[in-house]
Amino acid sequence: NAGVTQTPKFQVLKTGQSMTLQCAQDMNHNSMYWYRQDPGMGLRLIYYSASEGTTDKGEVPNGYNVSRLNKREFSLRLESAAPSQTSVYFCASSETLAGGANTGELFFGEGSRLTVL
Amino acid sequence: KNEVEQSPQNLTAQEGEFITINCSYSVGISALHWLQQHPGGGIVSLFMLSSGKKKHGRLIATINIQEKHSSLHITASHPRDSAVYICAVPGNQFYFGTGTSLTVIP
């Protein structure tokens, strides 16, 4: 059982480069999320998608774009990376009822450690 | 404004001690989640509970919906329990506490 798979696990970028973090889940969940985790800051929501075809900004969306390609996949793109985007990124998914209330367990990918020089 | 508050932020215990981590929240919820993250590792779900108490091995989670409070207890703590423990409550998205960093010393 794969659960939530995200790639790459590690990436080093130079300032101004672009990259896409990929995430896929095989649990048929409606909701998917991208978080960043920084020391002392906890998990902060970048973007989320409550269903295929919809995306919404979270707490820290600036500098990022997302795409919910289909029900399984939710990608995060950095168009022009900045050192402030050095972080560990987690993708997650959960089940939701119609209307958006989360009812199920929250599953995380293993994380992607990004360093921007 | 923090919807979820955890305490303590850091905790050091001797092996074998009984440990309690607390979580208070301000939003109405259907369930509360406890998560575990080992150093440098991924995040895994320990419990999802909406009332009463749940137990997995040496871990026990309780919740009081009226008081908007949950506790995570670890009995007979072991160095492998050293991790960050995070509580989370769902809405249209999830709200997370900042985590409790636990170190269990042999």
Side-chain angles (χ1 to χ4, degrees):
Chain A
N1 294 333
V4 179
T5 304
Q6 59 179 104
T7 57
K9 287 187 168 50
F10 300 94
Q11 184 73 50
V12 178
L13 292 176
K14 294 181 180 176
T15 297
Q17 288 186 317
S18 63
M19 75 159 296
T20 300
L21 298 174
Q22 308 283 358
C23 177
Q25 52 92 10
D26 61 1
M27 295 168 284
N28 204 36
H29 286 164
N30 288 324
S31 292
M32 297 185 73
Y33 314 85
W34 275 106
Y35 298 97
R36 61 178 289 172
Q37 187 181 44
D38 303 291
M41 299 291 290
L43 287 160
R44 293 186 292 170
L45 182 65
I46 305 171
Y47 271 93
Y48 67 102
S49 170
S51 62
E52 182 180 351
T54 69
T55 61
D56 287 285
K57 294 179 180 179
E59 183 184 353
V60 288
N62 290 346
Y64 305 95
N65 286 302
V66 290
S67 180
R68 184 74 181 267
L69 304 167
N70 47 55
K71 194 170 186 181
R72 287 190 66 245
E73 298 172 291
F74 187 39
S75 62
L76 178 72
R77 183 160 179 84
L78 287 70
E79 290 291 352
S80 179
S84 60
Q85 294 178 303
T86 294
S87 188
V88 180
Y89 292 85
F90 286 96
C91 177
S93 73
S94 71
E95 190 48 81
T96 50
L97 292 175
N102 284 292
T103 61
E105 197 171 344
L106 187 58
F107 293 86
F108 285 85
E110 292 184 356
S112 300
R113 188 173 296 273
L114 175 65
T115 301
V116 183
L117 302 176
Chain B
K1 172 179 174 292
N2 285 337
E3 287 81 5
V4 183
E5 299 279 357
Q6 271 186 253
S7 64
Q9 280 193 312
N10 297 285
L11 183 56
T12 301
Q14 290 291 134
E15 184 174 356
E17 284 186 5
F18 181 85
I19 289 161
T20 296
I21 300 169
N22 296 301
C23 177
S24 296
Y25 54 92
S26 59
V27 294
I29 64 168
S30 56
L32 181 141
H33 302 247
W34 281 103
L35 310 169
Q36 180 192 56
Q37 185 178 25
H38 282 102
I43 301 170
V44 297
S45 177
L46 294 175
F47 295 101
M48 184 179 72
L49 69 166
S50 56
S51 65
K53 180 166 73 174
K54 283 192 174 181
K55 184 173 187 284
H56 289 159
R58 295 179 295 103
L59 272 60
I60 303 166
T62 64
I63 189 168
N64 185 317
I65 294 290
Q66 287 73 29
E67 294 187 4
K68 295 187 175 180
H69 181 268
S70 176
S71 293
L72 177 67
H73 306 285
I74 304 175
T75 62
S77 60
H78 189 276
R80 64 176 175 266
D81 297 325
S82 297
V84 175
Y85 294 85
I86 304 166
C87 69
V89 298
N92 287 334
Q93 50 176 292
F94 281 87
Y95 301 97
F96 296 90
T98 52
T100 295
S101 179
L102 171 66
T103 302
V104 181
I105 300 170

